[in-house]
Amino acid sequence: MSMTADLDWIKQIDDSLIELGKRPAFAFPTSFPWEAVERALRETFEREDLVLSCAEKGWQSSSVIQEKLQNLGPGILSLAIQVSPLNVPLYFVTTERDITLLMADLLGGDERASYFLEHALLEGFYHYFAAEIVRVVEKSAFASPLSFRLGQLAPSLEEIFKESSLVTDLSLSVEKTTFWGRLFLPARFKEAWKSFFKELPAPPLSEAVQKSIS
């Protein structure tokens, strides 16, 4: 048997390794469960017309992030998301106007949504909505054994733009209204993420690969 034939099995790469190559920034072990989040929100609010979309904007510097946040004007709502046991949170930012528009559609019109216009109640709905998304992510076992939970409500903007971040724009459309938000994954989060998975034992080879080398 030739050396070439002996080494043919090396060309057979696990799907999980291919996925890691597609995501060099963080090396996500699996795809983020956007479709599962969309389905769960449709069921929770009984809205089949709800559409969740995302668009990666790449790495942005601290100064660029600061400028974009300041351009949002007053009424910014920020939220930290903890990924245990990592000690660096990621952040989500939107505006009171977007949350108000979202509530008006999901709760059945301006009259019902007007109950939440008081700032504390508005934040309460925002926190509940974010908690639903985190619950779905946690249930999906995305990035297991890491665990996702809500962190500090309204962290300072200075905390968010103090370093460069990988930025993803999120939109949630209901009928003719679109709610916008922005997700920030700081550089320190990236390093903590990579270090965590680097220390984990290598996953077992798939059955197909095991047969190839046996």
Side-chain angles (χ1 to χ4, degrees):
M1 183 179 293
S2 69
M3 178 65 73
T4 301
D6 288 341
L7 298 179
D8 279 348
W9 66 270
I10 296 177
K11 299 176 184 178
Q12 301 183 36
I13 304 175
D14 270 353
D15 289 342
S16 60
L17 296 182
I18 294 174
E19 287 300 308
L20 294 182
K22 292 178 180 178
R23 298 171 176 81
F26 280 87
F28 291 157
T30 58
S31 299
F32 191 84
W34 292 117
E35 293 183 359
V37 171
E38 182 182 73
R39 286 196 302 270
L41 292 177
R42 286 179 176 180
E43 293 173 2
T44 298
F45 295 102
E46 299 180 348
R47 297 297 298 265
E48 288 300 318
D49 56 345
L50 185 152
V51 177
L52 178 64
S53 303
C54 65
E56 283 194 10
K57 297 300 181 180
W59 285 95
Q60 296 182 359
S61 67
S62 172
S63 58
V64 170
I65 294 172
Q66 179 179 7
E67 180 181 359
K68 290 188 175 182
L69 289 177
Q70 291 173 340
N71 288 341
L72 291 176
I76 293 178
L77 293 174
S78 56
L79 181 71
I81 301 171
Q82 300 289 342
V83 184
S84 180
L86 308 186
N87 58 6
V88 183
L90 50 90
Y91 302 98
F92 182 74
V93 172
T94 187
T95 66
E96 290 185 2
R97 178 180 180 277
D98 280 288
I99 291 294
T100 302
L101 290 173
L102 180 66
M103 287 192 305
D105 272 324
L106 294 182
L107 301 181
D110 294 335
E111 184 175 346
R112 290 186 181 182
S114 64
Y115 173 77
F116 290 91
L117 292 182
E118 185 178 333
H119 185 75
L121 295 176
L122 188 72
E123 283 193 339
F125 177 85
Y126 178 38
H127 199 269
Y128 163 74
F129 189 79
E132 279 296 295
I133 295 176
V134 171
R135 179 186 65 81
V136 175
V137 174
E138 183 69 12
K139 184 179 179 180
S140 74
F142 168 74
S144 178
L146 294 179
S147 177
F148 292 75
R149 63 180 176 82
L150 291 186
Q152 178 186 1
L153 186 63
S156 69
L157 297 184
E158 288 78 10
E159 182 179 340
I160 298 174
F161 63 65
K162 68 181 180 182
E163 61 182 311
S164 62
S165 291
L166 181 63
V167 180
T168 300
D169 282 352
L170 302 177
S171 68
L172 193 153
S173 300
V174 184
E175 290 187 350
K176 297 180 181 180
T177 303
T178 301
F179 152 72
W180 294 94
R182 186 161 287 169
L183 186 66
F184 297 91
L185 283 68
R188 289 183 301 120
F189 180 86
K190 172 189 174 183
E191 294 308 315
W193 177 283
K194 292 175 65 176
S195 295
F196 177 82
F197 282 103
K198 183 179 179 181
E199 296 301 320
L200 293 182
L205 295 175
S206 68
E207 184 177 345
V209 172
Q210 290 184 44
K211 289 181 178 179
S212 297
I213 63 178
S214 61

